[in-house]
Amino acid sequence: YGGCYLLALPIRSLQYYFTSKLGILWRQWLTDKFIGSYMGNRAYYDVNPNEDNTEVDNPDQRIAEDTRNFTRESLRITVHAFYALLQFTLNVAVLWSINHLLTWSL
């Protein structure tokens, strides 16, 4: 049983590393895309935070925060869905190895 933990430890560490790396790359790409759209065609003049009647303050900071929240939550949901599917598959495999009839009682 301890061997399973020793095998799972580097796998979980790599999963955390690659998920974090993917999140950083995705967030960087998405932020660059949104900031590029904001800066392109001088759109920042249409949303001028210096005017008195505007409700928008620090649009570049809002873009960065929104992309961070979006990528973090999307990756979290995806990883949890994959983990649930993997756990279900492994439980079915364990039941199948114990007794074939127990598997179909799920």
Side-chain angles (χ1 to χ4, degrees):
Y1 199 69
C4 290
Y5 281 123
L6 290 176
L7 182 66
L9 183 63
I11 292 172
R12 291 293 282 185
S13 298
L14 285 173
Q15 176 199 1
Y16 180 75
Y17 171 76
F18 285 122
T19 303
S20 298
K21 185 72 172 171
L22 177 63
I24 290 169
L25 291 174
W26 188 20
R27 180 179 169 199
Q28 182 180 12
W29 173 81
L30 199 58
T31 302
D32 289 344
K33 185 169 175 65
F34 283 143
I35 294 289
S37 296
Y38 173 67
M39 297 299 255
N41 297 327
R42 302 174 75 134
Y44 48 89
Y45 282 123
D46 293 335
V47 184
N48 188 358
N50 296 325
E51 292 179 2
D52 291 334
N53 61 355
T54 185
E55 299 267 339
V56 178
D57 59 336
N58 298 328
D60 52 340
Q61 183 180 1
R62 288 178 182 246
I63 289 171
E65 287 177 7
D66 288 345
T67 54
R68 183 189 69 224
N69 292 336
F70 175 75
T71 54
R72 184 178 359 138
E73 292 302 313
S74 297
L75 281 173
R76 185 185 62 81
I77 290 170
T78 303
V79 167
H80 283 284
F82 179 73
Y83 178 72
L85 182 64
L86 180 65
Q87 189 174 14
F88 174 75
T89 304
L90 291 176
N91 284 332
V92 168
V94 166
L95 285 176
W96 186 269
S97 69
I98 294 171
N99 189 349
H100 302 296
L101 297 175
L102 286 177
T103 305
W104 300 115
S105 68
L106 257 176

